[in-house]
Amino acid sequence: MKVLKRVIILLVVIGVVAGLGYYKYINTVTFYNEPGTNGNTIGNLYGSGLFCENNGVVYFANPNDFGRIYKMNPDESNIEIVANDCVFYINADDNYLYYSRNNNRDNSFVLDVNTESLCRMTKRNKKVIILDQANCNAAALAGNRVVYLRYDPDEATTLYMVGIDGENREQISKTALDPCCMVGEKMYYSGVEHDHNLHALNLDTGDSAFVSEENLWMPLIDGDTLFYMNLDDNNRVYRSSLSGEGKAGVTTYGTSGYNVSGNYLYYQSIKGNPDGLYRVDLTTGEEVLLTEGQFNNINITSKYVYFADYRTGATFHSPLGSTQVGVFNPPILQLDD
């Protein structure tokens, strides 16, 4: 009997030690992605990455709660608060959320420490590690690296890259190239110094290659199709092949921001008649005014398109393919201790 008790006690001790060891392991190990993994759509990142759908969950910056990070189902049910961080440029993979902090929007952060840093949060236990303590802005996940804009008082804003484990942080361009158009692990961008042509940046070598001579801005690649703002035609949205073949105008008016999902393109018009948020059917070319006004931060999930009033910050939503527009009014929730 004594032997049996000793065996049981020994097994319990071994179980506790093993459990503690495993707990420590899962909280220190980094789970890496398959090559080519991206964390959000290009169009959403152009819209400040305020919504990000991953594995059937939509993570979003709650416009009613200083942009704190929440989550919900794609149909907007089961809304929950994730963390107190105010965020933008949300990216997600199977294990982590990546984002730039925007905590300076919330007056509760009295001490200005890491309020605008680049972060990685573990989905499972909400543990946050700082990938870069500097003032960070636009960010895009590319495989097992995050490419982002970083502000330094001496060098202003430049392009950086860091591993998702926080290692191997490096400056990859002294120019503030926009990292939003990430396809796999290749970054496409419009030139900003010598031209506005389309270029592609090799993240492994840091070398850039010329892709297309179109005079463009905000390139968005969807499959084999390139969408872009045509700077030679009053910022109208065009589409073509990556090499520029078969180019054609898509929108009636110029735009200050747009996004694409499946068969629809949504855009904010410039000098429209009237100005507002328009939807274009990419098959028929039919263009519909959804609502008048000045809007930005166009984000799209599998069920809705979201956009914000440029002046008031109020966020609106519309079911994809619908002409109905309403206010997106999520609740303000308290984080459980």
Side-chain angles (χ1 to χ4, degrees), residues 186-243:
K186 182 179 290 186
M187 189 187 99
Y188 292 86
Y189 66 94
S190 171
V192 295
E193 293 183 316
H194 306 294
D195 59 57
H196 290 302
N197 300 151
L198 184 64
H199 303 262
L201 177 65
N202 185 318
L203 298 181
D204 292 322
T205 65
D207 296 328
S208 289
F210 174 82
V211 178
S212 170
E213 65 179 358
E214 296 302 323
N215 188 20
L216 56 80
W217 195 247
M218 287 181 67
L220 189 159
I221 297 171
D222 184 28
D224 296 327
T225 302
L226 168 67
F227 294 89
Y228 58 93
M229 291 164 54
N230 189 334
L231 301 182
D232 291 329
D233 191 9
N234 300 313
N235 287 12
R236 289 177 62 206
V237 178
Y238 272 58
R239 63 178 168 184
S240 69
S241 67
L242 273 180
S243 61

Side-chain angles (χ1 to χ4, degrees), residues 218-326:
M218 287 181 67
L220 189 159
I221 297 171
D222 184 28
D224 296 327
T225 302
L226 168 67
F227 294 89
Y228 58 93
M229 291 164 54
N230 189 334
L231 301 182
D232 291 329
D233 191 9
N234 300 313
N235 287 12
R236 289 177 62 206
V237 178
Y238 272 58
R239 63 178 168 184
S240 69
S241 67
L242 273 180
S243 61
E245 297 175 349
K247 72 175 182 178
V250 176
T251 64
T252 300
Y253 308 110
T255 183
S256 56
Y258 72 101
N259 202 342
V260 176
S261 178
N263 194 48
Y264 295 107
L265 181 147
Y266 295 84
Y267 78 102
Q268 169 62 42
S269 67
I270 295 177
K271 296 182 179 180
N273 187 24
D275 267 345
L277 198 287
Y278 287 79
R279 187 196 72 208
V280 179
D281 187 309
L282 293 173
T283 299
T284 66
E286 180 187 18
E287 187 168 299
V288 177
L289 172 66
L290 296 183
T291 184
E292 292 186 35
Q294 299 292 333
F295 304 97
N296 60 6
N297 292 338
I298 304 170
N299 281 241
I300 300 177
T301 67
S302 59
K303 298 292 185 182
Y304 286 90
V305 56
Y306 299 89
F307 48 96
D309 186 284
Y310 180 79
R311 294 183 177 87
T312 68
T315 298
F316 296 85
H317 62 171
S318 176
L320 289 183
S322 171
T323 57
Q324 297 179 349
V325 174

Side-chain angles (χ1 to χ4, degrees), residues 126-152:
K126 312 302 187 293
K127 179 181 178 181
V128 175
I129 69 169
I130 307 297
L131 299 178
D132 195 325
Q133 297 182 11
N135 184 333
C136 300
N137 199 274
L141 177 67
N144 290 302
R145 297 171 286 196
V146 180
V147 183
Y148 60 101
L149 291 176
R150 180 184 194 269
Y151 176 77
D152 178 271

Side-chain angles (χ1 to χ4, degrees), residues 80-92:
E80 301 176 20
I81 185 171
V82 175
N84 276 325
D85 269 347
C86 308
V87 303
F88 58 167
Y89 294 104
I90 304 169
N91 287 253

